[in-house]
Amino acid sequence: MAQHNLENVDTSEYPHINKGLDGIVAFSTTKSFIDGQKGELIYSGYNIDTLAENATFEEVCFLLWHDRLPNSSELEELKSDLIAQRELPSPVLEYIKTTNKDAEPMSVLRSAVSMLADFQAVKGKGSEEENLKHAVAMTAQMPTIIAAFDRARNGLEIVAPLNEGSTAFNFLYMLNGEKPGTAAEKTMDLCLILHAEHGMNASTFTARTICATESDMFSAVTGAIGALKGPLHGGANTAVMNTLLELQKQNGKADPVAFTKEKLARKEKIMGFGHRVYKTFDPRAFHLQKMSKQLSEETGQEKLYDWSEAMLKTMKNEKNIDPNVDFFSATVYYSIGIKPDLYTCIFTMSRVSGWSAHYIEQAANNRLIRPRALYIGEKNLDWVPLEDR
Ligand code: CMC
């Protein structure tokens, strides 16, 4: 493999080389603002703390899609549209029932979302009105896909969606086969609010890049799911929980401080920490930490919370690195009984609102996204016949 060290390469022709596009501004947006120094996050004008305290996930969806809060009839209309579209087309349900039970849930979600396009009369990029309909359809159907696959892979009867209730309530109902209590619904709803939108992260960039070729919204969201799945992005929450469960297996001998230090000494990343934009505590992590502490006490899982706190302090002392959204969301989901390999799917069923909002924004003011790469290979080599290689 070529070494991509650019020290001795003439880069004068390329004034904007930037590995990882760090700090590059490629779009303007009204969807969200992040102040990485202050630890501030705003969705379409509203601070995440205000939304966490007052909003529902459905209100946040409307906010992201329309850049304003809904009035009560608009909110009721959106809620009934979401409820009306929860059912899956039967071929998609059949796929979920028959696919490999050991498949990664994010892979199944990605494939199923891609299939949904076939049942929505998708023909290319669509008008803004059609795209809003597609955004509602995907937001309504993703929870059904996730819950149905989890039940199918465990040999359980698939639970049909309810004709009532919030996205959070219906998801927990379909997943567990019983209606959740108010506290569990509120926890899930808050998690959905906190994960809905986050600037030009890798999956949103993917969605906008696909949109910019004038491809359809289902293609953009399918690509975005692929990007979110990776452990450096949304897949980190599952990795965090797996770490804590590994510690739990050590039967009372778990030492999260030593574990963290040893990993750092090996130059390994600790999942759930660090961020490209935040150089301080991720404001979403504050809310999740509070929830994690409370839920771990309620469920007798204090150890998991204590270990998380010990890792947090060690990371701060050793590297001055703070947790991101994925760190405490792991223990929050665990406390409400969700299996670790579904965590990134939950991130997805929320983030679809942000991706679709960005798709609509990109489509309204589009230019093909086409950066360049610095070629560091050889040029114009002589052809060597096969038998001489
Ligand atoms: N553990 C240990 N060291 C870290 C970590 C970490 N989690 N994150 C950053 N660092 C160190 C890194 O080793 C590097 O040190 P040095 O300068 O000595 O080489 C320095 O901090 C800068 O890190 P980077 O990887 O160059 O930063 P980046 O902006 O390219 O990457 C990141 C950001 C989120 C990919 C990275 O922090 C990371 O890999 N974190 C762990 C995975 C994770 O939790 N991902 C979820 C991100 S938030 C949710 C989302 O948006 O998806």
Side-chain angles (χ1 to χ4, degrees):
M1 275 300 232
Q3 291 303 307
H4 289 255
N5 178 349
L6 305 185
E7 265 167 32
N8 300 318
V9 179
D10 176 13
T11 57
S12 53
E13 257 187 78
Y14 301 87
H16 302 300
I17 291 177
N18 194 320
K19 198 171 176 193
L21 300 181
D22 193 351
I24 300 288
V25 175
F27 312 97
S28 54
T29 183
T30 56
K31 303 306 163 193
S32 60
F33 167 76
I34 304 168
D35 185 327
Q37 301 300 329
K38 261 169 64 184
E40 182 178 68
L41 170 61
I42 284 168
Y43 293 175
S44 298
Y46 294 88
N47 191 291
I48 194 67
D49 300 334
T50 308
L51 295 170
E53 201 174 319
N54 300 289
T56 60
F57 175 59
E58 289 76 10
E59 282 175 293
V60 166
C61 291
F62 190 100
L63 173 66
L64 292 171
W65 292 332
H66 299 277
D67 287 327
R68 64 177 176 84
L69 290 172
N71 62 31
S72 56
S73 65
E74 287 167 331
L75 183 59
E76 283 318 307
E77 193 183 327
L78 174 59
K79 284 195 215 164
S80 40
D81 283 353
L82 285 166
I83 288 171
Q85 300 209 48
R86 284 174 177 168
E87 296 257 1
L88 299 177
S90 50
V92 179
L93 201 54
E94 207 44 42
Y95 157 68
I96 290 168
K97 284 184 193 165
T98 53
T99 193
N100 184 355
K101 303 211 173 335
D102 295 328
E104 289 182 290
M106 278 295 278
S107 295
V108 175
L109 180 59
R110 186 197 57 223
S111 303
V113 166
S114 178
M115 286 177 81
L116 291 179
D118 302 359
F119 304 92
Q120 292 281 340
V122 173
K123 298 267 183 290
K125 63 179 182 165
S127 64
E128 184 170 331
E129 198 188 348
E130 284 166 327
N131 286 326
L132 271 168
K133 275 194 194 145
H134 294 159
V136 172
M138 278 188 271
T139 308
Q141 291 176 330
M142 273 191 193
T144 318
I145 295 169
I146 300 161
F149 177 62
D150 189 52
R151 291 188 70 88
R153 69 177 174 166
N154 287 301
L156 298 168
E157 186 106 11
I158 289 175
V159 176
L162 291 166
N163 284 327
E164 57 180 5
S166 67
T167 303
F169 185 91
N170 175 58
F171 173 65
L172 291 174
Y173 166 73
M174 292 188 295
L175 192 66
N176 301 322
E178 56 187 48
K179 292 184 176 174
T182 313
E185 180 190 7
K186 184 95 197 65
T187 301
M188 179 54 61
D189 195 56
L190 186 46
C191 289
L192 296 178
I193 292 169
L194 295 173
H195 286 84
E197 163 58 14
H198 207 237
M200 208 38 55
N201 56 83
S203 56
T204 303
F205 183 74
T206 305
R208 285 190 82 130
T209 303
I210 294 174
C211 173
T213 67
E214 298 196 353
S215 185
D216 64 281
M217 187 186 274
F218 287 84
S219 299
V221 170
T222 302
I225 296 174
L228 188 70
K229 180 173 179 287
L232 295 191
H233 192 6
N237 51 16
T238 296
V240 169
M241 199 64 233
N242 289 339
T243 297
L244 293 171
L245 294 175
E246 274 306 310
L247 289 171
Q248 200 169 45
K249 278 193 204 144
Q250 293 170 13
N251 291 329
K253 292 194 188 119
D255 185 344
V257 175
F259 168 86
T260 309
K261 285 184 178 171
E262 281 161 21
K263 254 179 120 53
L264 290 177
R266 292 194 299 270
K267 300 252 175 267
E268 287 173 20
K269 291 263 178 80
I270 311 286
M271 293 293 128
F273 286 90
H275 202 275
R276 175 64 64 80
V277 185
Y278 292 118
K279 296 305 161 209
T280 180
F281 219 94
D282 181 331
R284 303 165 297 174
F286 272 120
H287 293 278
L288 290 158
Q289 181 176 12
K290 211 164 101 190
M291 273 195 273
S292 171
K293 184 168 173 29
Q294 191 190 329
L295 285 165
S296 65
E297 282 162 9
E298 282 169 22
T299 56
Q301 305 272 6
E302 290 95 337
K303 272 267 157 289
L304 293 176
Y305 180 79
D306 294 345
W307 293 337
S308 306
E309 243 193 8
M311 289 175 72
L312 183 148
K313 283 184 186 147
T314 314
M315 281 300 278
K316 192 72 192 164
N317 292 340
E318 299 290 313
K319 297 280 284 184
N320 196 25
I321 294 181
D322 290 298
N324 57 51
V325 70
D326 287 321
F327 191 62
F328 286 107
S329 63
T331 36
V332 168
Y333 297 143
Y334 192 76
S335 301
I336 57 171
I338 298 174
K339 293 175 200 83
D341 66 353
L342 294 181
Y343 297 175
T344 317
C345 292
I346 296 171
F347 193 153
T348 313
M349 72 185 230
S350 161
R351 185 56 61 86
V352 65
S353 58
W355 292 332
S356 48
H358 276 275
Y359 180 99
I360 292 166
E361 187 175 58
Q362 179 69 30
N365 188 20
N366 190 37
R367 188 169 186 220
L368 182 75
I369 296 164
R370 208 308 186 181
R372 296 184 63 182
L374 174 65
Y375 178 69
I376 57 162
E378 296 181 85
K379 288 179 181 161
N380 300 321
L381 296 173
D382 289 332
W383 180 250
V384 183
L386 191 57
E387 59 277 17
D388 297 339
R389 282 177 233 156

